[in-house]
Amino acid sequence: MEWTDEGIVLGVRRHGESSAIVELLTRAHGRHLGLVRGGAGSRMRPLLQPGNSLRVVWRARLDEHLGTYAIEGLKLRAATLLGSSHGVYGITHLASIARLLPERDPHENLLALLEHSLDDFDDIGSAAVHVIHFELAMLTELGFGMALENCAVTGETTDLIYVSPKSGGAVSRGAGEPWRDRLLRLPPFLRQSEVQGDLTDQDLQDGFRLTGLFLLRHVLEPRGQGHSDARAGFINALTRQQAKAAIPAP
């Protein structure tokens, strides 16, 4: 058995004295593991960092075997990602939720979204938007997508500012006003049919609250899991950055 593909490193664990088992999100073969001989050595280690894009050749005697990877670096983002706290927490969290995907099940759209997200991770505000969009995409991919295009009550496609915490459907201002205290806020950058304005700190916090609730309820808790420490670390880094930016210059 042999194939060639491209993928992003999600994680690595040492195997024996010098090898490593590498977990990739690949374009055509989904989340896939393989053994890299010499992967624990100093020559290979820089390539096998979470967030890096690789071209790999996978070989095994049978399809169900672990198999081995021959690797080539394509885009080495790890040095940049690991240079900031939000980068470290962000890639760790994104990798943790990508592991919710079944092994060897292709999700090419998620790989493209992950690549785009990591390429735009320098600014913490942009990174936060990408993380929230990736969480929403994961919900959709796992069968728990949210209906944010039109009002769940009236069918309207404009002035959508709430989300029902029960159904995950958007609710318009008029329809939701009587129950506003029971509804979640839909931040402008997630409103599908409206022109986006400037992001506020509250928008980002509302986005994380929204995706966090549905990930926990539909995906994590049924598996006996909770949100990762990395997600909390990323949100804390965002909060610190927001507080720092709010302090007026002397």
Side-chain angles (χ1 to χ4, degrees):
M1 304 296 298
E2 178 177 327
W3 48 255
T4 300
D5 204 348
E6 297 177 4
I8 294 177
V9 179
L10 300 179
V12 181
R13 66 178 186 268
R14 190 167 185 139
H15 184 77
E17 293 187 4
S18 60
S19 297
I21 295 176
V22 180
E23 182 181 24
L24 301 174
L25 183 61
T26 64
R27 192 171 307 281
H29 299 85
R31 186 171 64 86
H32 204 290
L33 283 75
L35 180 73
V36 176
R37 302 193 189 281
S42 57
R43 186 176 69 85
M44 289 286 196
R45 199 178 301 124
L47 297 178
L48 302 179
Q49 296 296 316
N52 283 346
S53 288
L54 306 177
R55 178 177 288 111
V56 298
V57 179
W58 180 83
R59 298 183 179 92
R61 190 169 65 85
L62 296 175
D63 184 62
E64 60 266 26
H65 287 178
L66 173 66
T68 61
Y69 278 137
I71 66 168
E72 173 191 351
L74 292 178
K75 194 161 191 175
L76 306 184
R77 309 178 183 87
T80 300
L81 292 171
L82 301 181
S84 65
S85 60
H86 79 266
V88 173
Y89 287 126
I91 182 55
T92 304
H93 169 57
L94 291 172
S96 74
I97 59 174
R99 290 192 183 96
L100 297 170
L101 296 169
E103 271 194 70
R104 305 190 178 192
D105 188 13
H107 297 273
E108 188 171 347
N109 60 323
L110 282 180
L111 177 67
L113 183 58
L114 183 57
E115 286 176 327
H116 177 63
S117 300
L118 296 178
D119 286 340
D120 193 27
F121 230 67
D122 290 346
D123 175 72
I124 191 170
S126 297
V129 171
H130 286 304
V131 171
I132 292 166
H133 276 295
F134 192 80
E135 291 182 342
L136 278 175
M138 281 295 303
L139 282 166
T140 299
E141 206 72 13
L142 295 171
F144 304 102
M146 300 171 67
L148 303 180
E149 294 81 13
N150 56 272
C151 177
V153 180
T154 66
E156 296 173 347
T157 58
T158 58
D159 208 19
L160 306 175
I161 67 168
Y162 301 117
V163 174
S164 166
K166 293 184 178 181
S167 69
V171 181
S172 68
R173 187 187 307 274
E177 194 63 25
W179 299 278
R180 59 181 301 175
D181 294 338
R182 302 180 187 180
L183 300 173
L184 300 169
R185 182 173 176 268
L186 177 61
F189 70 93
L190 294 180
R191 298 176 195 169
Q192 300 294 324
S193 60
E194 298 184 19
V195 176
Q196 309 303 317
D198 293 333
L199 278 174
T200 68
D201 298 345
Q202 189 62 50
D203 290 337
L204 296 176
Q205 295 298 333
D206 288 337
F208 277 113
R209 183 184 178 203
L210 185 64
T211 54
L213 173 68
F214 290 97
L215 275 173
L216 196 61
R217 179 190 298 165
H218 295 303
V219 180
L220 297 173
E221 286 182 342
R223 301 171 187 232
Q225 301 177 24
H227 286 301
S228 68
D229 292 340
R231 186 180 195 268
F234 182 90
I235 294 173
N236 287 337
L238 175 65
T239 302
R240 290 194 302 269
Q241 181 65 27
Q242 290 170 339
K244 182 178 178 182
I247 298 175

